[in-house]
Amino acid sequence: MNMNDTKTISENTLPDEHHVMDTFARMGVELVRGEGMELFDAEGKRYYDFLSGIGVVGLGHSNPAVVKALTDQAQKLTHVSNFFYIEHRSELADKLAELFGVDANAKVFFANSGTEAVEGALKLARKWARENKKNAHTIVTARNSFHGRTFGAMSATGQPERNDVFAPLVPGFEFVAFNDSEALDAALGDKVIALMLEVIQGESGVWPATQEYLDSAQKWCKERNILLIIDEIQTGIYRTGEPFAFEHYGIEPDIIASAKGLGNGFPLGAFIAKDEVAAAFAPGDHGTTFGGGPLACAVALATLKEYEALSIDEVPIKEHVTTVGTYAKERLSELGCFDQVRGIGLMIGATLSENAPLSAPALRDALCDHGFIVNAIGDTIIRLLPPLICTNMHIDALIDEIYAIMNDSREETS
Ligand SMILES: *Cc1c(COP(=O)(O)O)cnc(C)c1O
């Protein structure tokens, strides 16, 4: 029998990717076009996108202002290196410093990805420590955190068991339980120069920090002259309603890392530091060929301006994200198949109850068949990171579909 006989038509037409390195388990869909909340596959089938490319395309697919900035810039100038001044970089840095908000003279470094933003933040912390924390170098991060895939960021990620296969990792990192203030108190000893945290742990299942935990982190970091670094790569750029999620907690980090939503799909990252910390870098200490180039700066600036101007049904983006996120959490909770629904704004995690008829990956696949894209984490968690233009109408459609799928599979198994 031909092996392909059992495959669906669409799977038969998927690219075979024979020469693509095997590092991702792909969904059986080839996407070719997007508009707003919608994606279309190679056969013209429509999907509502509740993942936005892992929290990236916040303004929705093919946002006209972003596309215009990209195409205009592409026709003028694409790359010259960081040896030159270019249009848009200074204004983009002004805007990011303003959104950071904790220091009027904050400084920004532009990179190409989240992991590079983290690398830069870690290097800055180490350089700062040479003058401010003699003989100390340890950086503390949380268990089950995620900070990226390059060696420094991977070594900073609080899942050392998983990364053992790449040993030896970069030394100088210690891990502490998340949301455990007592453990944090004990971990922030004399040798520690920086604490790096996510406000909501995204990759491990959407776990928000408690107010008490971040208050303690802020207090001890200040008292002990330890830098507080917040990884806002997933939580930033209005994902939780505020420009950066730390703002919900009233803390003032020394450095933040940003990426995902910053270019609405154009790859770019940045780290932003208080002036007195950024001053530790001298020319030559850090650099990049591509980072902060003409295309990235034009697109990110257009993205941030679009957020400032954007209102959905006359509601500004901050309020809109909060309202729709709250509505989504309520409706998910009412479904009965989730034990716990959590998150801030449109960064939502929901844990399936033990008697749910489907696992998270099975629910994700069934939803995909029915035209809804969500993410599954492990066997039990569904993560939603829709474009921030998502409305209650889209939430209702998703909830109806989950309800129908769960009912169908209950009938099948009974
Ligand atoms: C995605 C992510 C990263 C890594 O970003 P890349 O662009 O994939 O390198 C780092 N930290 C957090 C919190 C993330 O969500």
Side-chain angles (χ1 to χ4, degrees), residues 54 112-116 118 146-149 198 200 202-203 231-234 259-260:
I54 322 184
N112 305 291
S113 64
T115 200
E116 277 178 80
V118 168
F146 180 79
H147 297 295
R149 302 286 197 165
E198 293 158 271
I200 306 171
E203 295 306 294
D231 180 342
E232 289 270 3
I233 289 165
Q234 193 161 149
K260 290 194 165 82

Side-chain angles (χ1 to χ4, degrees), residues 74-151:
Q75 292 177 50
K76 274 169 74 179
L77 187 69
T78 57
H79 182 79
V80 291
S81 88
N82 277 301
F83 293 137
F84 301 94
Y85 289 98
I86 55 164
E87 279 185 282
H88 310 307
R89 187 192 295 130
S90 181
E91 194 183 348
L92 175 60
D94 290 350
K95 280 226 179 300
L96 283 170
E98 189 189 322
L99 295 178
F100 178 48
V102 304
D103 177 1
N105 296 311
K107 301 284 188 275
V108 183
F109 181 95
F110 293 108
N112 305 291
S113 64
T115 200
E116 277 178 80
V118 168
E119 295 292 335
L122 297 174
K123 278 179 69 179
L124 179 59
R126 284 271 171 83
K127 184 82 196 297
W128 172 88
R130 289 185 80 86
E131 279 157 38
N132 293 276
K133 301 274 289 184
K134 289 260 162 7
N135 305 320
H137 66 254
T138 301
I139 297 172
V140 173
T141 73
R143 289 228 159 252
N144 297 319
S145 57
F146 180 79
H147 297 295
R149 302 286 197 165
T150 49
F151 257 99

Side-chain angles (χ1 to χ4, degrees), residues 159-182:
Q159 308 174 43
E161 314 72 22
R162 187 177 124 175
N163 295 323
D164 243 13
V165 288
F166 302 107
L169 300 184
V170 176
F173 292 97
E174 282 178 9
F175 309 110
V176 63
F178 188 59
N179 272 342
D180 181 340
S181 299
E182 256 175 62

Side-chain angles (χ1 to χ4, degrees), residues 99-408:
L99 295 178
F100 178 48
V102 304
D103 177 1
N105 296 311
K107 301 284 188 275
V108 183
F109 181 95
F110 293 108
N112 305 291
S113 64
T115 200
E116 277 178 80
V118 168
E119 295 292 335
L122 297 174
K123 278 179 69 179
L124 179 59
R126 284 271 171 83
K127 184 82 196 297
W128 172 88
R130 289 185 80 86
E131 279 157 38
N132 293 276
K133 301 274 289 184
K134 289 260 162 7
N135 305 320
H137 66 254
T138 301
I139 297 172
V140 173
T141 73
R143 289 228 159 252
N144 297 319
S145 57
F146 180 79
H147 297 295
R149 302 286 197 165
T150 49
F151 257 99
M154 175 177 71
S155 304
T157 290
Q159 308 174 43
E161 314 72 22
R162 187 177 124 175
N163 295 323
D164 243 13
V165 288
F166 302 107
L169 300 184
V170 176
F173 292 97
E174 282 178 9
F175 309 110
V176 63
F178 188 59
N179 272 342
D180 181 340
S181 299
E182 256 175 62
L184 187 62
D185 188 7
L188 296 181
D190 288 348
K191 295 281 175 212
V192 178
I193 62 163
L195 167 66
M196 180 162 67
L197 295 172
E198 293 158 271
V199 168
I200 306 171
Q201 291 192 330
E203 295 306 294
S204 59
V206 188
W207 303 100
T210 62
Q211 182 71 48
E212 188 235 332
Y213 185 66
L214 289 189
D215 283 345
S216 309
Q218 172 82 79
K219 180 167 172 278
W220 292 322
C221 283
K222 270 218 172 95
E223 285 175 7
R224 300 171 196 181
N225 196 26
I226 292 169
L227 295 178
L228 178 59
I229 306 173
I230 299 289
D231 180 342
E232 289 270 3
I233 289 165
Q234 193 161 149
T235 49
I237 317 297
Y238 301 95
R239 173 58 49 194
T240 66
E242 294 293 339
F244 294 109
F246 75 80
E247 297 170 57
H248 291 284
Y249 292 78
I251 58 169
E252 298 198 339
D254 299 290
I255 308 175
I256 63 170
S258 178
K260 290 194 165 82
L262 185 52
N264 208 57
F266 194 90
L268 106 127
F271 63 100
I272 309 164
K274 286 181 180 168
D275 189 30
E276 66 195 15
V277 178
F281 267 169
D285 279 342
H286 197 47
T288 166
T289 299
F290 293 121
L295 288 171
C297 289
V299 172
L301 184 60
T303 299
L304 295 183
K305 283 186 174 171
E306 187 73 351
Y307 275 118
E308 284 172 2
L310 187 67
S311 63
I312 293 145
D313 299 330
E314 295 179 17
V315 180
I317 189 71
K318 280 192 196 185
E319 257 176 59
H320 171 81
V321 167
T322 306
T323 313
V324 178
T326 305
Y327 181 70
K329 279 187 281 184
E330 277 168 19
R331 297 247 29 215
L332 285 162
S333 303
E334 286 163 11
L335 271 173
C337 57
F338 296 108
D339 266 350
Q340 199 201 19
V341 181
R342 54 190 180 268
I344 309 178
L346 285 169
M347 179 164 179
I348 297 173
T351 304
L352 286 164
S353 50
E354 229 165 76
N355 56 7
L358 290 176
S359 69
L363 176 57
R364 172 201 63 201
D365 291 347
L367 280 166
C368 187
D369 284 345
H370 290 89
F372 293 83
I373 292 174
V374 304
N375 179 232
I377 296 177
D379 277 341
T380 60
I381 297 172
I382 292 290
R383 175 173 56 165
L384 304 182
L385 296 166
L388 306 179
I389 55 170
C390 172
T391 65
N392 288 4
M393 184 271 284
H394 300 113
I395 302 293
D396 286 338
L398 174 69
I399 298 293
D400 288 351
E401 200 59 58
I402 296 176
Y403 184 81
I405 289 168
M406 287 302 194
N407 263 350
D408 283 356

